[in-house]
Amino acid sequence: MKNRWITAGMALVLLSACSGNNGSANKNDPAAPPTNEPPKPVTLNVFTDASATIDMEQELLQKKFPHITLNIIKNGKDTRIENVVASGQQLDLINHSMGSIWKLLDLRLLSDLTPYIGKYKFDLNQYIPGVVESMRSYSDKGELLALPYELNSSVLFYNKSIFNKFGVPYPKDGMTWDDVYELARRVTKQDGGVQYKGFQFQHQNLTWKNQLGLPVVDAQTNKALVQNDGWKRFLETMGRFYSIPGNEPIGGDTDNFLKTQILAMRVGPNILSGIPEAVKAGLDWDVASVPVYAGSTSGGSQLIAPFYSIPVGGANKDAAFQVMAFLLSPEVQIVKSKSGKMPIINDPAAMKAFAADMEGIQGKNMGAFFKETIGKPIKATRFDAIAKDELWGKTLKDYYEQKKDANTALREAEDAINKKIAEQVQMGK
C-alpha cells in the first residue's frame, strides 16, 4: 500500500487549540491534566471519506496548530478504510459519514470521546438541539463515539419561472406534503413542447431522514419493522407524486432542477454548490423549509451528518481531539458556513454567514435551511442500513410504478430485509 497515501500539501502543520498538551508525559491518559510544556511535533494520520474532506480548513489549522502535521489518506479504489486498516497503517483521526458507523465500530475505529470532552472542557451545549442525543443513541452505554461537524439539512428548492409561467403561487415555509402535492399537480404541465415536472425528491435522503420517526429494525429481535401503518403512510405520501400524469421520475432530480430546469420543486441533499452555474444558465430560484407530515409527533428528521472519530488504538488521541475541537469552533464553522456548508453549532454568527461568499444567493430565503429540526432519535441497530436501503431502493419504486400495492410492497420488503439480516448474522457480521 505504500505510495498510495495522499499527503495534504507538503505535510499540513497545525497548532494546538487547547492547552498545548502534545500527548508526551500524559499521552492517551484523559485523566491527566493538560500541561504547560511546549508542544512537541506530532503527525496525525487522518482517513477521510471522499464525500467529507477537511481540505477547506487546512489554512486555519496550519495557523492554529504549528506543531501538528496531518497526513491525509483519502478514500479511493485502493485505499478503502478496510484496506488501510488491514495494511497495518496506524490511524489517528477518522472523517466519515453517518452510514458507516457500524462498520467503523467493527474495525475499532470509534472510541468513547467522553474523557477527552471533559479533559479539554469541550462544550457539548454548543451543538444545535438533538445532535448529542442522536449520537449517543449509537451506544448502549451512552458513549459519545463521534462528533458531527456539519449539518445536512433539507429544504425545498423551487424554480420561480415555472410557477410564474403557470400562474401558481410560490411554495412557502411551513408547508405539509399535502400542500406540496397540490402545488405539484398544478405545475406539472406541458408547454411549448416541454414537459414540466412538479416535484421530485432524492429517495435515499428522505428515507434516511425518516421524518415520521419510524424504527426499521427491532433492536431486541433484529427483525424488520416496516410492515405497518407508519411506513405505509410514507409510501403513499411520497409515491403519489409520481402518479401525477407527466411527473414520472425521468431524469435525476438534481439535473432536472439545475441543468434542464424543467423541475418546479425538488427536495434532497444540499445542492447550493451547483446554484451559481445554474443561475448563469437562467435559473430563477428560491427555497422554502422542508415540508412535513401533518400531525407528526416525531419532532423532526433523523440526524444525517458527517463526523470525526478517534480509533480505539489511536496513538495520538490528545492531539486528534484538539484538532476535532478546533474544527467545531465558531471560527472554523463561520468560514465553512460562508461557502455553503451548514454549521452544526448554535452560533448566530455562523448561521448569519451561511452561503455569504456564494454567487446567486443574495436575497434568497436562506433561513429555510435552519428550520428543519432534529427529531427524537430512534434506537439504532447495525442492520438499519439494510432496511432503509430496501425501502428506498426497491419498495418505494415498486409502489410508485404501481407494480405492487402498499401492503404487498411492505410485506415483501419485510421478508427481504429479514432474509438479508439472517445472512449477515450467519456470516458473523
Side-chain angles (χ1 to χ4, degrees):
M1 299 293 290
K2 68 179 182 179
N3 298 326
R4 288 177 178 168
W5 310 136
I6 301 175
T7 304
M10 303 292 289
L12 176 61
V13 187
L14 310 175
L15 153 85
S16 178
C18 302
S19 61
N21 180 11
N22 57 31
S24 52
N26 58 355
K27 181 170 74 174
N28 288 337
D29 179 8
T35 71
N36 293 320
E37 297 177 7
K40 296 179 180 179
V42 60
T43 295
L44 297 182
N45 293 317
V46 183
F47 181 90
T48 178
D49 183 34
S51 63
T53 69
I54 61 173
D55 293 345
M56 180 183 297
E57 300 89 350
Q58 287 184 6
E59 185 176 348
L60 292 172
L61 289 167
Q62 201 167 25
K63 294 178 180 178
K64 191 67 179 174
F65 298 104
H67 71 288
I68 301 178
T69 298
L70 291 191
N71 178 45
I72 300 180
I73 304 166
K74 293 186 178 181
N75 181 38
K77 180 180 178 181
D78 297 318
T79 53
R80 299 189 184 282
I81 191 71
E82 300 92 333
N83 303 135
V84 176
V85 171
S87 74
Q89 172 72 41
Q90 171 67 54
L91 295 175
D92 299 294
L93 187 61
I94 308 296
N95 174 200
H96 228 287
S97 53
M98 193 71 78
S100 66
I101 281 186
W102 296 105
K103 178 170 70 175
L104 297 186
L105 271 171
D106 290 341
L107 293 171
R108 294 177 59 79
L109 295 176
L110 303 178
S111 62
D112 185 17
L113 301 174
T114 303
Y116 296 92
I117 290 169
K119 178 177 181 177
Y120 291 104
K121 297 181 174 56
F122 180 79
D123 184 11
L124 292 175
N125 292 322
Q126 69 180 316
Y127 274 118
I128 65 169
V131 171
V132 175
E133 184 181 6
S134 295
M135 295 309 299
R136 290 197 191 280
S137 70
Y138 287 92
S139 169
D140 291 333
K141 302 175 183 177
E143 299 168 317
L144 201 55
L145 301 172
L147 293 181
Y149 61 87
E150 181 183 303
L151 273 182
N152 182 7
S153 290
S154 297
V155 292
L156 184 145
F157 284 82
Y158 63 93
N159 184 322
K160 297 172 71 173
S161 297
I162 296 177
F163 282 88
N164 293 338
K165 177 184 289 289
F166 299 123
V168 178
Y170 298 147
K172 58 185 180 181
D173 291 345
M175 292 189 304
T176 66
W177 289 112
D178 295 333
D179 297 329
V180 176
Y181 177 74
E182 292 304 319
L183 287 179
R185 290 177 61 244
R186 296 175 66 184
V187 292
T188 300
K189 294 184 178 182
Q190 194 172 75
D191 183 78
V194 177
Q195 176 63 60
Y196 292 95
K197 297 182 177 297
F199 175 76
Q200 283 184 271
F201 63 100
Q202 214 276 354
H203 302 168
Q204 183 180 25
N205 182 262
L206 280 187
T207 304
W208 279 74
K209 287 276 190 176
N210 194 351
Q211 287 181 306
L212 290 170
L214 302 168
V216 288
V217 175
D218 188 309
Q220 300 299 318
T221 65
N222 287 330
K223 297 291 185 181
L225 290 175
V226 301
Q227 191 179 350
N228 53 56
D229 289 341
W231 281 110
K232 182 179 180 181
R233 185 183 184 189
F234 168 79
L235 278 193
E236 293 178 340
T237 297
M238 304 312 300
R240 64 179 167 167
F241 285 101
Y242 298 137
S243 297
I244 299 172
N247 196 51
E248 298 82 4
I250 299 172
D253 56 280
T254 301
D255 283 351
N256 282 348
F257 189 81
L258 294 176
K259 294 183 179 180
T260 61
Q261 300 185 13
I262 61 170
L263 180 60
M265 296 179 287
R266 178 261 181 204
V267 169
N270 191 342
I271 55 171
L272 279 179
S273 61
I275 287 293
E277 284 301 313
V279 169
K280 292 177 183 177
L283 180 66
D284 186 10
W285 68 285
D286 210 333
V287 292
S289 60
V290 66
V292 297
Y293 288 84
S296 174
T297 59
S298 69
S301 300
Q302 294 296 296
L303 176 68
I304 302 293
F307 60 80
Y308 296 115
S309 66
I310 298 176
V312 170
N316 299 291
K317 288 188 175 183
D318 281 274
F321 186 83
Q322 291 175 56
V323 168
M324 292 170 64
F326 177 64
L327 293 172
L328 280 159
S329 69
E331 177 183 353
V332 175
Q333 291 278 300
I334 288 172
V335 170
K336 292 184 65 176
S337 182
K338 288 181 179 180
S339 70
K341 304 292 185 181
M342 283 201 67
I344 199 166
I345 62 172
N346 196 9
D347 183 83
M351 294 178 180
K352 184 177 180 180
F354 183 55
D357 289 347
M358 298 187 69
E359 296 181 10
I361 306 297
Q362 291 67 32
K364 304 303 180 183
N365 181 28
M366 303 310 286
F369 281 87
F370 298 94
K371 293 188 177 181
E372 183 180 33
T373 54
I374 298 175
K376 183 177 177 60
I378 302 161
K379 178 59 181 175
T381 82
R382 65 174 52 251
F383 304 114
D384 286 359
I386 291 175
K388 292 174 184 176
D389 288 348
E390 181 72 21
L391 287 171
W392 76 262
K394 187 174 188 301
T395 310
L396 180 60
K397 187 177 180 182
D398 283 348
Y399 175 73
Y400 72 66
E401 289 184 347
Q402 300 182 5
K403 294 178 179 178
K404 298 167 187 173
D405 61 74
N407 291 328
T408 301
L410 289 170
R411 183 182 68 251
E412 293 185 4
E414 190 152 291
D415 290 342
I417 293 166
N418 285 333
K419 181 179 179 181
K420 290 178 181 178
I421 291 175
E423 291 172 352
Q424 293 290 303
V425 171
Q426 189 174 13
M427 294 168 61
K429 294 185 178 181

PDB file of all heavy atoms in Angstrom, residues 171-196:
ATOM      1  N   PRO A 171     -44.102  28.137  -3.432  1.00  0.00           N
ATOM      2  CA  PRO A 171     -44.081  27.421  -2.145  1.00  0.00           C
ATOM      3  C   PRO A 171     -43.668  28.361  -1.019  1.00  0.00           C
ATOM      4  O   PRO A 171     -43.022  29.386  -1.259  1.00  0.00           O
ATOM      5  CB  PRO A 171     -43.021  26.336  -2.373  1.00  0.00           C
ATOM      6  CG  PRO A 171     -42.925  26.190  -3.855  1.00  0.00           C
ATOM      7  CD  PRO A 171     -43.181  27.561  -4.417  1.00  0.00           C
ATOM      8  N   LYS A 172     -44.008  28.001   0.201  1.00  0.00           N
ATOM      9  CA  LYS A 172     -43.659  28.838   1.343  1.00  0.00           C
ATOM     10  C   LYS A 172     -43.239  27.965   2.525  1.00  0.00           C
ATOM     11  O   LYS A 172     -43.475  26.747   2.533  1.00  0.00           O
ATOM     12  CB  LYS A 172     -44.835  29.724   1.739  1.00  0.00           C
ATOM     13  CG  LYS A 172     -46.106  28.968   2.080  1.00  0.00           C
ATOM     14  CD  LYS A 172     -47.271  29.910   2.338  1.00  0.00           C
ATOM     15  CE  LYS A 172     -48.543  29.138   2.673  1.00  0.00           C
ATOM     16  NZ  LYS A 172     -49.687  30.055   2.913  1.00  0.00           N
ATOM     17  N   ASP A 173     -42.620  28.574   3.497  1.00  0.00           N
ATOM     18  CA  ASP A 173     -42.202  27.845   4.696  1.00  0.00           C
ATOM     19  C   ASP A 173     -43.419  27.263   5.412  1.00  0.00           C
ATOM     20  O   ASP A 173     -44.505  27.849   5.409  1.00  0.00           O
ATOM     21  CB  ASP A 173     -41.462  28.782   5.662  1.00  0.00           C
ATOM     22  CG  ASP A 173     -40.114  29.222   5.140  1.00  0.00           C
ATOM     23  OD1 ASP A 173     -39.606  28.600   4.187  1.00  0.00           O
ATOM     24  OD2 ASP A 173     -39.556  30.207   5.681  1.00  0.00           O
ATOM     25  N   GLY A 174     -43.199  26.105   6.053  1.00  0.00           N
ATOM     26  CA  GLY A 174     -44.235  25.510   6.895  1.00  0.00           C
ATOM     27  C   GLY A 174     -45.262  24.676   6.165  1.00  0.00           C
ATOM     28  O   GLY A 174     -46.299  24.326   6.740  1.00  0.00           O
ATOM     29  N   MET A 175     -45.022  24.317   4.923  1.00  0.00           N
ATOM     30  CA  MET A 175     -45.995  23.510   4.181  1.00  0.00           C
ATOM     31  C   MET A 175     -45.962  22.048   4.629  1.00  0.00           C
ATOM     32  O   MET A 175     -44.952  21.552   5.123  1.00  0.00           O
ATOM     33  CB  MET A 175     -45.722  23.583   2.677  1.00  0.00           C
ATOM     34  CG  MET A 175     -45.987  24.927   2.051  1.00  0.00           C
ATOM     35  SD  MET A 175     -45.886  24.853   0.237  1.00  0.00           S
ATOM     36  CE  MET A 175     -44.239  24.186   0.012  1.00  0.00           C
ATOM     37  N   THR A 176     -47.074  21.372   4.402  1.00  0.00           N
ATOM     38  CA  THR A 176     -47.125  19.915   4.584  1.00  0.00           C
ATOM     39  C   THR A 176     -46.896  19.263   3.232  1.00  0.00           C
ATOM     40  O   THR A 176     -46.951  19.915   2.178  1.00  0.00           O
ATOM     41  CB  THR A 176     -48.488  19.470   5.136  1.00  0.00           C
ATOM     42  OG1 THR A 176     -49.497  19.744   4.141  1.00  0.00           O
ATOM     43  CG2 THR A 176     -48.833  20.212   6.432  1.00  0.00           C
ATOM     44  N   TRP A 177     -46.662  17.948   3.240  1.00  0.00           N
ATOM     45  CA  TRP A 177     -46.509  17.216   1.981  1.00  0.00           C
ATOM     46  C   TRP A 177     -47.807  17.269   1.170  1.00  0.00           C
ATOM     47  O   TRP A 177     -47.767  17.228  -0.077  1.00  0.00           O
ATOM     48  CB  TRP A 177     -46.099  15.776   2.252  1.00  0.00           C
ATOM     49  CG  TRP A 177     -44.688  15.657   2.743  1.00  0.00           C
ATOM     50  CD1 TRP A 177     -44.263  15.279   3.989  1.00  0.00           C
ATOM     51  CD2 TRP A 177     -43.507  15.939   1.977  1.00  0.00           C
ATOM     52  NE1 TRP A 177     -42.889  15.310   4.059  1.00  0.00           N
ATOM     53  CE2 TRP A 177     -42.393  15.712   2.842  1.00  0.00           C
ATOM     54  CE3 TRP A 177     -43.271  16.358   0.679  1.00  0.00           C
ATOM     55  CZ2 TRP A 177     -41.083  15.890   2.434  1.00  0.00           C
ATOM     56  CZ3 TRP A 177     -41.956  16.546   0.249  1.00  0.00           C
ATOM     57  CH2 TRP A 177     -40.880  16.304   1.122  1.00  0.00           C
ATOM     58  N   ASP A 178     -48.955  17.374   1.845  1.00  0.00           N
ATOM     59  CA  ASP A 178     -50.219  17.515   1.128  1.00  0.00           C
ATOM     60  C   ASP A 178     -50.249  18.828   0.352  1.00  0.00           C
ATOM     61  O   ASP A 178     -50.723  18.877  -0.793  1.00  0.00           O
ATOM     62  CB  ASP A 178     -51.389  17.469   2.114  1.00  0.00           C
ATOM     63  CG  ASP A 178     -51.521  16.122   2.814  1.00  0.00           C
ATOM     64  OD1 ASP A 178     -51.097  15.103   2.224  1.00  0.00           O
ATOM     65  OD2 ASP A 178     -52.028  16.086   3.946  1.00  0.00           O
ATOM     66  N   ASP A 179     -49.744  19.897   0.971  1.00  0.00           N
ATOM     67  CA  ASP A 179     -49.676  21.189   0.283  1.00  0.00           C
ATOM     68  C   ASP A 179     -48.799  21.103  -0.961  1.00  0.00           C
ATOM     69  O   ASP A 179     -49.140  21.627  -2.023  1.00  0.00           O
ATOM     70  CB  ASP A 179     -49.100  22.263   1.219  1.00  0.00           C
ATOM     71  CG  ASP A 179     -49.965  22.522   2.441  1.00  0.00           C
ATOM     72  OD1 ASP A 179     -51.200  22.372   2.331  1.00  0.00           O
ATOM     73  OD2 ASP A 179     -49.395  22.873   3.498  1.00  0.00           O
ATOM     74  N   VAL A 180     -47.648  20.443  -0.822  1.00  0.00           N
ATOM     75  CA  VAL A 180     -46.712  20.318  -1.941  1.00  0.00           C
ATOM     76  C   VAL A 180     -47.338  19.490  -3.060  1.00  0.00           C
ATOM     77  O   VAL A 180     -47.157  19.794  -4.254  1.00  0.00           O
ATOM     78  CB  VAL A 180     -45.386  19.691  -1.472  1.00  0.00           C
ATOM     79  CG1 VAL A 180     -44.444  19.456  -2.648  1.00  0.00           C
ATOM     80  CG2 VAL A 180     -44.716  20.596  -0.446  1.00  0.00           C
ATOM     81  N   TYR A 181     -48.074  18.459  -2.692  1.00  0.00           N
ATOM     82  CA  TYR A 181     -48.738  17.627  -3.700  1.00  0.00           C
ATOM     83  C   TYR A 181     -49.695  18.458  -4.543  1.00  0.00           C
ATOM     84  O   TYR A 181     -49.731  18.339  -5.780  1.00  0.00           O
ATOM     85  CB  TYR A 181     -49.481  16.472  -3.019  1.00  0.00           C
ATOM     86  CG  TYR A 181     -50.248  15.604  -3.976  1.00  0.00           C
ATOM     87  CD1 TYR A 181     -49.592  14.708  -4.818  1.00  0.00           C
ATOM     88  CD2 TYR A 181     -51.643  15.671  -4.037  1.00  0.00           C
ATOM     89  CE1 TYR A 181     -50.301  13.904  -5.706  1.00  0.00           C
ATOM     90  CE2 TYR A 181     -52.360  14.874  -4.917  1.00  0.00           C
ATOM     91  CZ  TYR A 181     -51.687  13.995  -5.749  1.00  0.00           C
ATOM     92  OH  TYR A 181     -52.390  13.204  -6.635  1.00  0.00           O
ATOM     93  N   GLU A 182     -50.476  19.306  -3.901  1.00  0.00           N
ATOM     94  CA  GLU A 182     -51.426  20.141  -4.642  1.00  0.00           C
ATOM     95  C   GLU A 182     -50.695  21.109  -5.563  1.00  0.00           C
ATOM     96  O   GLU A 182     -51.129  21.342  -6.707  1.00  0.00           O
ATOM     97  CB  GLU A 182     -52.339  20.892  -3.667  1.00  0.00           C
ATOM     98  CG  GLU A 182     -53.300  20.000  -2.902  1.00  0.00           C
ATOM     99  CD  GLU A 182     -54.166  19.158  -3.827  1.00  0.00           C
ATOM    100  OE1 GLU A 182     -54.636  19.678  -4.865  1.00  0.00           O
ATOM    101  OE2 GLU A 182     -54.366  17.957  -3.529  1.00  0.00           O
ATOM    102  N   LEU A 183     -49.593  21.688  -5.101  1.00  0.00           N
ATOM    103  CA  LEU A 183     -48.801  22.565  -5.967  1.00  0.00           C
ATOM    104  C   LEU A 183     -48.216  21.786  -7.146  1.00  0.00           C
ATOM    105  O   LEU A 183     -48.207  22.273  -8.284  1.00  0.00           O
ATOM    106  CB  LEU A 183     -47.671  23.220  -5.172  1.00  0.00           C
ATOM    107  CG  LEU A 183     -48.046  24.337  -4.188  1.00  0.00           C
ATOM    108  CD1 LEU A 183     -46.793  24.852  -3.484  1.00  0.00           C
ATOM    109  CD2 LEU A 183     -48.741  25.494  -4.910  1.00  0.00           C
ATOM    110  N   ALA A 184     -47.713  20.576  -6.855  1.00  0.00           N
ATOM    111  CA  ALA A 184     -47.097  19.761  -7.908  1.00  0.00           C
ATOM    112  C   ALA A 184     -48.098  19.450  -9.015  1.00  0.00           C
ATOM    113  O   ALA A 184     -47.754  19.457 -10.206  1.00  0.00           O
ATOM    114  CB  ALA A 184     -46.547  18.470  -7.313  1.00  0.00           C
ATOM    115  N   ARG A 185     -49.339  19.182  -8.651  1.00  0.00           N
ATOM    116  CA  ARG A 185     -50.376  18.898  -9.646  1.00  0.00           C
ATOM    117  C   ARG A 185     -50.603  20.097 -10.559  1.00  0.00           C
ATOM    118  O   ARG A 185     -50.852  19.937 -11.764  1.00  0.00           O
ATOM    119  CB  ARG A 185     -51.685  18.526  -8.944  1.00  0.00           C
ATOM    120  CG  ARG A 185     -51.643  17.169  -8.240  1.00  0.00           C
ATOM    121  CD  ARG A 185     -52.937  16.874  -7.483  1.00  0.00           C
ATOM    122  NE  ARG A 185     -54.088  16.823  -8.390  1.00  0.00           N
ATOM    123  CZ  ARG A 185     -55.119  17.665  -8.360  1.00  0.00           C
ATOM    124  NH1 ARG A 185     -55.142  18.642  -7.467  1.00  0.00           N
ATOM    125  NH2 ARG A 185     -56.122  17.534  -9.200  1.00  0.00           N
ATOM    126  N   ARG A 186     -50.480  21.280 -10.000  1.00  0.00           N
ATOM    127  CA  ARG A 186     -50.793  22.497 -10.759  1.00  0.00           C
ATOM    128  C   ARG A 186     -49.667  22.938 -11.694  1.00  0.00           C
ATOM    129  O   ARG A 186     -49.913  23.680 -12.638  1.00  0.00           O
ATOM    130  CB  ARG A 186     -51.148  23.620  -9.786  1.00  0.00           C
ATOM    131  CG  ARG A 186     -52.402  23.338  -8.968  1.00  0.00           C
ATOM    132  CD  ARG A 186     -52.654  24.424  -7.938  1.00  0.00           C
ATOM    133  NE  ARG A 186     -52.978  25.709  -8.564  1.00  0.00           N
ATOM    134  CZ  ARG A 186     -53.165  26.844  -7.890  1.00  0.00           C
ATOM    135  NH1 ARG A 186     -53.056  26.836  -6.559  1.00  0.00           N
ATOM    136  NH2 ARG A 186     -53.448  27.968  -8.531  1.00  0.00           N
ATOM    137  N   VAL A 187     -48.443  22.503 -11.395  1.00  0.00           N
ATOM    138  CA  VAL A 187     -47.316  22.928 -12.248  1.00  0.00           C
ATOM    139  C   VAL A 187     -46.727  21.788 -13.068  1.00  0.00           C
ATOM    140  O   VAL A 187     -45.729  21.978 -13.759  1.00  0.00           O
ATOM    141  CB  VAL A 187     -46.202  23.606 -11.404  1.00  0.00           C
ATOM    142  CG1 VAL A 187     -46.682  24.926 -10.841  1.00  0.00           C
ATOM    143  CG2 VAL A 187     -45.697  22.683 -10.302  1.00  0.00           C
ATOM    144  N   THR A 188     -47.341  20.622 -13.015  1.00  0.00           N
ATOM    145  CA  THR A 188     -46.931  19.531 -13.901  1.00  0.00           C
ATOM    146  C   THR A 188     -47.725  19.671 -15.186  1.00  0.00           C
ATOM    147  O   THR A 188     -48.873  19.232 -15.288  1.00  0.00           O
ATOM    148  CB  THR A 188     -47.195  18.161 -13.246  1.00  0.00           C
ATOM    149  OG1 THR A 188     -46.464  18.066 -12.018  1.00  0.00           O
ATOM    150  CG2 THR A 188     -46.748  17.031 -14.168  1.00  0.00           C
ATOM    151  N   LYS A 189     -47.125  20.335 -16.152  1.00  0.00           N
ATOM    152  CA  LYS A 189     -47.825  20.631 -17.404  1.00  0.00           C
ATOM    153  C   LYS A 189     -46.848  20.612 -18.570  1.00  0.00           C
ATOM    154  O   LYS A 189     -45.641  20.759 -18.394  1.00  0.00           O
ATOM    155  CB  LYS A 189     -48.484  22.014 -17.340  1.00  0.00           C
ATOM    156  CG  LYS A 189     -49.616  22.130 -16.331  1.00  0.00           C
ATOM    157  CD  LYS A 189     -50.277  23.498 -16.409  1.00  0.00           C
ATOM    158  CE  LYS A 189     -51.449  23.609 -15.445  1.00  0.00           C
ATOM    159  NZ  LYS A 189     -52.134  24.930 -15.554  1.00  0.00           N
ATOM    160  N   GLN A 190     -47.419  20.443 -19.743  1.00  0.00           N
ATOM    161  CA  GLN A 190     -46.625  20.529 -20.962  1.00  0.00           C
ATOM    162  C   GLN A 190     -46.876  21.889 -21.606  1.00  0.00           C
ATOM    163  O   GLN A 190     -48.015  22.345 -21.715  1.00  0.00           O
ATOM    164  CB  GLN A 190     -46.995  19.408 -21.918  1.00  0.00           C
ATOM    165  CG  GLN A 190     -45.990  19.224 -23.042  1.00  0.00           C
ATOM    166  CD  GLN A 190     -46.269  17.987 -23.869  1.00  0.00           C
ATOM    167  OE1 GLN A 190     -47.195  17.977 -24.672  1.00  0.00           O
ATOM    168  NE2 GLN A 190     -45.486  16.939 -23.650  1.00  0.00           N
ATOM    169  N   ASP A 191     -45.798  22.526 -22.017  1.00  0.00           N
ATOM    170  CA  ASP A 191     -45.928  23.848 -22.616  1.00  0.00           C
ATOM    171  C   ASP A 191     -44.807  24.045 -23.626  1.00  0.00           C
ATOM    172  O   ASP A 191     -43.626  23.827 -23.299  1.00  0.00           O
ATOM    173  CB  ASP A 191     -45.861  24.940 -21.541  1.00  0.00           C
ATOM    174  CG  ASP A 191     -46.069  26.331 -22.106  1.00  0.00           C
ATOM    175  OD1 ASP A 191     -47.226  26.696 -22.373  1.00  0.00           O
ATOM    176  OD2 ASP A 191     -45.057  27.057 -22.287  1.00  0.00           O
ATOM    177  N   GLY A 192     -45.158  24.426 -24.835  1.00  0.00           N
ATOM    178  CA  GLY A 192     -44.155  24.656 -25.861  1.00  0.00           C
ATOM    179  C   GLY A 192     -43.324  23.432 -26.174  1.00  0.00           C
ATOM    180  O   GLY A 192     -42.136  23.552 -26.514  1.00  0.00           O
ATOM    181  N   GLY A 193     -43.930  22.275 -26.066  1.00  0.00           N
ATOM    182  CA  GLY A 193     -43.210  21.034 -26.340  1.00  0.00           C
ATOM    183  C   GLY A 193     -42.337  20.554 -25.202  1.00  0.00           C
ATOM    184  O   GLY A 193     -41.623  19.554 -25.348  1.00  0.00           O
ATOM    185  N   VAL A 194     -42.392  21.239 -24.065  1.00  0.00           N
ATOM    186  CA  VAL A 194     -41.592  20.863 -22.900  1.00  0.00           C
ATOM    187  C   VAL A 194     -42.502  20.314 -21.809  1.00  0.00           C
ATOM    188  O   VAL A 194     -43.522  20.942 -21.466  1.00  0.00           O
ATOM    189  CB  VAL A 194     -40.805  22.072 -22.350  1.00  0.00           C
ATOM    190  CG1 VAL A 194     -40.034  21.668 -21.082  1.00  0.00           C
ATOM    191  CG2 VAL A 194     -39.862  22.625 -23.407  1.00  0.00           C
ATOM    192  N   GLN A 195     -42.138  19.150 -21.251  1.00  0.00           N
ATOM    193  CA  GLN A 195     -42.885  18.584 -20.136  1.00  0.00           C
ATOM    194  C   GLN A 195     -42.272  19.075 -18.830  1.00  0.00           C
ATOM    195  O   GLN A 195     -41.166  18.691 -18.461  1.00  0.00           O
ATOM    196  CB  GLN A 195     -42.868  17.053 -20.176  1.00  0.00           C
ATOM    197  CG  GLN A 195     -43.564  16.395 -18.984  1.00  0.00           C
ATOM    198  CD  GLN A 195     -45.050  16.720 -18.916  1.00  0.00           C
ATOM    199  OE1 GLN A 195     -45.801  16.411 -19.835  1.00  0.00           O
ATOM    200  NE2 GLN A 195     -45.482  17.371 -17.830  1.00  0.00           N
ATOM    201  N   TYR A 196     -42.980  19.945 -18.154  1.00  0.00           N
ATOM    202  CA  TYR A 196     -42.516  20.450 -16.861  1.00  0.00           C
ATOM    203  C   TYR A 196     -43.011  19.512 -15.763  1.00  0.00           C
ATOM    204  O   TYR A 196     -44.173  19.100 -15.752  1.00  0.00           O
ATOM    205  CB  TYR A 196     -43.023  21.870 -16.622  1.00  0.00           C
ATOM    206  CG  TYR A 196     -42.402  22.873 -17.566  1.00  0.00           C
ATOM    207  CD1 TYR A 196     -43.056  23.243 -18.748  1.00  0.00           C
ATOM    208  CD2 TYR A 196     -41.159  23.422 -17.287  1.00  0.00           C
ATOM    209  CE1 TYR A 196     -42.475  24.145 -19.629  1.00  0.00           C
ATOM    210  CE2 TYR A 196     -40.571  24.335 -18.167  1.00  0.00           C
ATOM    211  CZ  TYR A 196     -41.236  24.687 -19.332  1.00  0.00           C
ATOM    212  OH  TYR A 196     -40.656  25.575 -20.207  1.00  0.00           O
TER     213      TYR A 196
END
